[in-house]
């Protein structure tokens, strides 16, 4: 029985990988057919809804994409990638209010977004962004105003 289950999981992975390959190569309709068949077999796999949502988003069926990304987040409430995709899709649709809700939902931050170090002040990023501008201004000042040698710290 366990071997059967492992074989099913392996087969599912192969089919998912193939669907993603089709999607990346621009064969959206073919990818959609595969993912829809997989969803019928395994309706509780959030990844499948996310992939189908990306397919719909690509062909500009934004309503269907939103439905699928939402379903993915219902099945897995901490699914950061689905929340991001949902936010992007709402944004493309012009619904900024729901886009912001999706981005902020439960404080989900995708793994590719840098998280601040522990103890970092909230305003620190703002100051860091302003600092290079101040440095540029100092370098652009005429030599007479800067004085001789290196500026003191």
């Amino acid at each position: 029985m366990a071997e059967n289950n492992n074989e099913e999981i392996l087969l599912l992975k192969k089919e998912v990988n193939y669907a993603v390959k089709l999607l990346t190569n621009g064969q959206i309709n073919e990818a959609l057919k595969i993912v829809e068949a997989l969803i019928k077999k395994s309706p509780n796999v959030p990844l499948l809804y996310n992939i189908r949502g990306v397919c719909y988003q690509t062909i500009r069926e934004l309503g269907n994409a939103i439905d699928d990304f939402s379903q993915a987040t219902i099945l897995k409430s901490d699914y950061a990638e689905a929340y991001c995709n949902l936010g992007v899709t709402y944004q493309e649709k012009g619904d900024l209010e729901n886009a912001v809700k999706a981005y902020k939902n439960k404080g989900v931050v995708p793994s590719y977004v840098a998280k601040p170090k522990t103890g970092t002040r909230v305003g620190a990023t703002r100051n860091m962004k302003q600092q290079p501008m101040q440095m540029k201004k100092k370098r652009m000042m005429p030599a007479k105003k800067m004085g001789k040698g290196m500026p003191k710290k």
Side-chain angles (χ1 to χ4, degrees):
M1 193 81 164
E3 277 185 39
N4 246 357
N5 196 22
N6 287 337
E7 288 175 13
E8 287 178 33
I9 291 171
L10 190 60
L11 182 61
L12 180 66
K13 283 182 182 180
K14 285 182 181 180
E15 290 180 81
V16 166
N17 289 338
Y18 182 62
V20 170
K21 183 178 178 181
L22 289 171
L23 173 62
T24 344
N25 291 331
Q27 297 172 290
I28 312 303
N29 291 328
E30 291 82 357
L32 261 173
K33 288 176 187 173
I34 291 170
V35 175
E36 286 173 353
L38 292 173
I39 288 174
K40 285 181 183 175
K41 287 182 199 174
S42 307
N44 295 321
V45 179
L47 173 66
L48 298 175
Y49 291 95
N50 192 53
I51 294 170
R52 188 169 72 176
V54 172
C55 290
Y56 283 135
Q57 184 184 33
T58 305
I59 59 175
R60 312 302 300 156
E61 288 187 24
L62 301 181
N64 287 335
I66 288 170
D67 291 344
D68 278 346
F69 295 138
S70 296
Q71 182 62 31
T73 61
I74 289 168
L75 292 171
K76 185 177 179 192
S77 63
D78 64 344
Y79 196 173
E81 187 176 353
Y83 279 114
C84 283
N85 288 336
L86 184 59
V88 168
T89 307
Y90 273 126
Q91 198 170 347
E92 287 178 3
K93 196 174 178 183
D95 186 349
L96 298 182
E97 185 178 330
N98 279 319
V100 170
K101 285 179 185 175
Y103 291 134
K104 288 184 174 181
N105 197 317
K106 297 189 182 181
V108 172
V109 178
S111 58
Y112 51 84
V113 175
K115 295 180 182 177
K117 293 179 183 175
T118 310
T120 304
R121 292 181 303 120
V122 175
T125 46
R126 181 171 169 236
N127 293 337
M128 288 178 357
K129 287 180 183 176
Q130 290 174 349
Q131 190 175 1
M133 290 297 290
Q134 292 169 353
M135 290 171 66
K136 286 180 186 176
K137 287 178 186 175
K138 285 181 184 176
R139 279 188 241 136
M140 295 175 80
M141 293 172 74
K144 292 177 191 174
K145 290 185 179 178
M146 289 187 73
K148 295 181 182 179
M150 297 291 289
K152 293 181 182 178
K153 292 184 179 181

